[in-house]
Amino acid sequence: MGRESMSDDAMPDPAQDPPPFYRRHVFCCVNERPAGHPRGCCLEKGSPRLRNYMKARAKELGLDDVRINASGCLDRCELGPTMVIYPEGVWYTYRTPEDVDEILRVHVIQGGRVKRLMLHPEDGTPAA
Amino acid sequence: MGRESMSDDAMPDPAQDPPPFYRRHVFCCVNERPAGHPRGCCLEKGSPRLRNYMKARAKELGLDDVRINASGCLDRCELGPTMVIYPEGVWYTYRTPEDVDEILRVHVIQGGRVKRLMLHPEDGTPAA
């Protein structure tokens, strides 16, 4: 029923999707919550400064097909600052410029993973 | 050389990535440029209102495994308002609540594509 009632426009055919506009698309949460909120927020943990650093470093490295975006609340506040890298859908927590450098070098450029900083779906408390 | 010099942590093995945290992750550009900027901006075309509508509708529809985020500049300003849906990496331009409803119904819920609103990498001018 559902399928038959869909128009031609709506037929899912992901194999025919356009090629990616960005090879890797990074979203860094820069959301701010009121001071004292029990969940905390990525902004109070310094995410805007770290995201700006990541964006500048990506430019210096000539990563023209990569975009480092700021985003609203990614809703994993307790683990922040958090970022997610698509199309992989891999999440990281990060605290320092050195963390950002490692994510850029190992994940964004080399296609690897920085396991010590990766988040998993079941993570509900701050990473060690 | 490159591979041998990578640590165990860095060995790429995307098949072992954690499962997705969100089934679909939507980013709606809400960037603002100064009035009169030749590229325009998504904010002046009403994207914050449309993104808030999309977020509210997703909640009403019970789409608990979908996140509708605001983002900074996605750098396709002339085509705005723009959004990108991951992990597919499919881009849309949209102008009305009806556009948003169609993207939610056809793409986010049914997994199809709203071809009349889709952007392609070569698009450099506003969609017809």
Side-chain angles (χ1 to χ4, degrees):
Chain A
M1 280 298 200
R3 294 242 167 175
E4 282 83 350
S5 68
M6 292 169 74
S7 72
D8 279 352
D9 262 9
M11 288 304 293
D13 191 357
Q16 292 190 8
D17 282 343
F21 190 72
Y22 297 121
R23 184 172 57 85
R24 289 206 161 87
H25 202 165
V26 179
F27 293 92
C28 299
C29 179
V30 297
N31 188 55
E32 179 174 22
R33 288 185 188 277
H37 191 287
R39 297 195 68 190
C41 69
C42 289
L43 182 136
E44 73 182 357
K45 296 168 193 162
S47 63
R49 183 178 56 87
L50 290 166
R51 180 262 170 174
N52 290 342
Y53 174 78
M54 190 172 191
K55 183 178 178 180
R57 282 298 295 150
K59 186 171 183 180
E60 288 169 357
L61 291 165
L63 303 177
D64 295 333
D65 55 357
V66 167
R67 183 118 182 128
I68 314 294
N69 266 118
S71 84
C73 180
L74 297 176
D75 205 23
R76 306 187 79 177
C77 319
E78 297 82 354
L79 301 161
T82 62
M83 71 169 74
V84 57
I85 304 180
Y86 284 108
E88 301 93 313
V90 168
W91 291 70
Y92 289 107
T93 185
Y94 58 108
R95 291 193 180 83
T96 66
E98 290 72 27
D99 290 344
V100 169
D101 285 336
E102 188 172 349
I103 292 167
L104 277 171
R105 186 181 70 251
V106 173
H107 188 129
V108 174
I109 297 176
Q110 300 180 342
R113 300 292 181 266
V114 184
K115 290 186 179 173
R116 72 180 180 87
L117 299 175
M118 276 177 73
L119 297 179
H120 297 77
E122 66 274 19
D123 289 339
T125 53
Chain B
M1 283 300 194
R3 295 239 168 175
E4 282 82 351
S5 68
M6 292 169 74
S7 71
D8 278 352
D9 262 9
M11 287 305 292
D13 190 356
Q16 292 191 7
D17 281 343
F21 190 72
Y22 297 121
R23 184 172 59 83
R24 288 205 162 87
H25 202 165
V26 179
F27 294 91
C28 300
C29 179
V30 296
N31 189 54
E32 179 175 21
R33 289 185 188 277
H37 191 287
R39 298 195 67 190
C41 68
C42 290
L43 181 137
E44 72 182 359
K45 296 168 193 162
S47 63
R49 182 179 56 86
L50 291 164
R51 180 263 170 173
N52 289 343
Y53 173 77
M54 188 172 192
K55 183 179 179 180
R57 282 298 295 148
K59 185 172 183 180
E60 288 169 0
L61 292 165
L63 303 178
D64 295 332
D65 54 357
V66 168
R67 182 117 184 131
I68 314 294
N69 267 118
S71 83
C73 180
L74 297 177
D75 205 24
R76 306 187 79 177
C77 319
E78 298 82 356
L79 301 161
T82 63
M83 72 170 73
V84 57
I85 304 180
Y86 283 108
E88 301 92 313
V90 168
W91 291 70
Y92 290 107
T93 185
Y94 58 109
R95 289 192 180 83
T96 66
E98 291 72 25
D99 290 344
V100 169
D101 284 336
E102 189 171 349
I103 293 167
L104 276 171
R105 185 181 72 251
V106 174
H107 187 128
V108 174
I109 296 175
Q110 299 180 342
R113 300 292 180 267
V114 185
K115 290 187 181 174
R116 72 180 181 87
L117 299 175
M118 275 177 73
L119 298 180
H120 297 77
E122 66 275 18
D123 290 339
T125 55

